[in-house]
Amino acid sequence: WVYLCFIRMKYNSKANTYKGIRFKSRLETYMYKLFEDAGIKAEYERHKYNILDPFFFPFDCYEKSIKGKAMINKGNKKIQGIVYTPDFVIEDENTTYVVETKGIATPDFMVRFKLFKRWCLDQRKDFVIFMPRNQTQCNETLQTIQQMREAAK
């Protein structure tokens, strides 16, 4: 909740609920409604991809502590992996569409998104990925997915 408040304050995203689903932004809700109106089953934040496995870092690494100014050794320990959870995943028989609605993409998100694309390449995942940033691009995303699905029939 605190994280959502920070995001809203900094980037003006507004969490909301539609049909019992808690969306983090109005753009996500808009995209969901487009899929719903088109009869496309899009799962919201149900898929998680481990894009970087946890690992042990065996060296010293001096960093500033979170609550203080002192540098402390944060090395010689296990480093958490990185998980990517896209907003929407649509799975067809031969194609998986990943849609990440993002009004304003933070630098942290862009790194995670690049790692996800690299993971797709390494795992040979032939996903079709979209990142609409406004309602017009959401409409274009829906139209492209519909065309691709129709062409696959």
Side-chain angles (χ1 to χ4, degrees), residues 14 21 23 32 45 74 85 100 108 116 119 122 135 152:
K14 194 172 198 174
I21 302 170
F23 294 96
Y32 182 83
E45 291 193 344
K74 293 187 175 184
T85 305
E100 180 67 50
D108 288 347
F116 173 65
W119 178 86
D122 291 345
Q135 290 183 356

Side-chain angles (χ1 to χ4, degrees), residues 66-109:
I66 293 173
K67 294 184 179 180
K69 295 180 180 179
M71 296 281 284
I72 59 172
N73 187 356
K74 293 187 175 184
N76 301 298
K77 68 177 184 179
K78 185 177 180 180
I79 305 296
Q80 289 183 346
I82 298 176
V83 175
Y84 172 63
T85 305
D87 292 335
F88 302 100
V89 174
I90 301 161
E91 294 181 311
D92 284 344
E93 191 173 315
N94 296 318
T95 307
T96 299
Y97 304 93
V98 175
V99 180
E100 180 67 50
T101 56
K102 196 60 69 183
I104 296 174
T106 64
D108 288 347
F109 169 78

Side-chain angles (χ1 to χ4, degrees), residues 10 28-29 37-38 50 53 56 69 71 76 105 145 148:
K10 190 168 182 180
E28 291 175 351
T29 307
D37 291 346
N50 294 311
D53 291 330
F56 183 80
K69 295 180 180 179
M71 296 281 284
N76 301 298
I145 290 172
M148 294 176 85

Side-chain angles (χ1 to χ4, degrees), residues 91-150:
E91 294 181 311
D92 284 344
E93 191 173 315
N94 296 318
T95 307
T96 299
Y97 304 93
V98 175
V99 180
E100 180 67 50
T101 56
K102 196 60 69 183
I104 296 174
T106 64
D108 288 347
F109 169 78
M110 290 311 297
V111 170
R112 187 178 301 259
F113 196 61
K114 286 178 185 179
L115 285 170
F116 173 65
K117 290 192 273 187
R118 179 60 198 212
W119 178 86
C120 290
L121 181 65
D122 291 345
Q123 300 297 316
R124 301 190 188 281
K125 297 289 185 185
D126 190 17
F127 292 168
V128 180
I129 304 170
F130 298 88
M131 188 172 29
R133 294 178 164 229
N134 56 46
Q135 290 183 356
T136 300
Q137 291 177 358
C138 286
N139 294 333
E140 292 170 6
T141 296
L142 173 64
Q143 191 174 39
T144 303
I145 290 172
Q146 288 174 319
Q147 291 169 350
M148 294 176 85
R149 294 175 96 198
E150 189 60 35

Side-chain angles (χ1 to χ4, degrees), residues 27-41:
L27 192 60
E28 291 175 351
T29 307
Y30 181 81
M31 189 81 246
Y32 182 83
K33 288 177 180 179
L34 285 177
F35 287 139
E36 183 180 57
D37 291 346
I40 295 174
K41 183 183 176 231

